[in-house]
Amino acid sequence: MTVEKLLQIVVDSCDNKKASDIVVFDLEKSDFLYDYSVICHATTNRQVEAIAEEVKENAKENNYKIYNVEGLKESNWVLIDLGDVIVNVMTTKDRDYYKLDKFFEKYPVKEV
């Protein structure tokens, strides 16, 4: 299975649960230990949790390893480590506050 297939599964999972402003940063030519960073947000903690659970479930169903999940209990910002793809699901408030997109803005955005 390819990283592109994993990336498509992640983006589709986020979209299925109505995540807002899904952005994929292409980090393949950077010094990061992973190839893509996916960032999206939702208006409530419950929706953040639902998006994160959908990503986890679909990754497992397609035999991708989930290395770590952080923040699921609070569901303000959930980080899912899928190896070559890191997924950040945040509340709108946390995305505005932490400005993670700004950190990656120098890298190209991948259309998925």
Side-chain angles (χ1 to χ4, degrees), residues 53-104:
E53 291 293 348
E54 180 84 356
V55 169
K56 286 175 40 187
E57 182 179 308
N58 289 329
K60 275 185 189 177
E61 283 179 9
N62 286 278
N63 299 314
Y64 287 100
K65 183 174 180 178
I66 299 169
Y67 292 92
N68 199 11
V69 178
E70 295 288 334
L72 196 54
K73 183 177 178 183
E74 299 81 16
S75 295
N76 292 322
W77 177 355
V78 179
L79 184 142
I80 305 167
D81 181 354
L82 298 169
D84 290 327
V85 177
I86 300 294
V87 185
N88 296 277
V89 185
M90 311 168 90
T91 61
T92 306
K93 182 179 174 183
D94 280 15
R95 189 169 185 178
D96 290 342
Y97 180 80
Y98 289 106
K99 301 186 185 325
L100 190 58
D101 298 74
K102 201 111 172 102
F103 178 76
F104 291 112

Side-chain angles (χ1 to χ4, degrees), residues 43-58:
T43 54
T44 67
N45 300 65
R46 184 172 276 205
Q47 187 183 8
V48 167
E49 181 180 0
I51 294 165
E53 291 293 348
E54 180 84 356
V55 169
K56 286 175 40 187
E57 182 179 308
N58 289 329

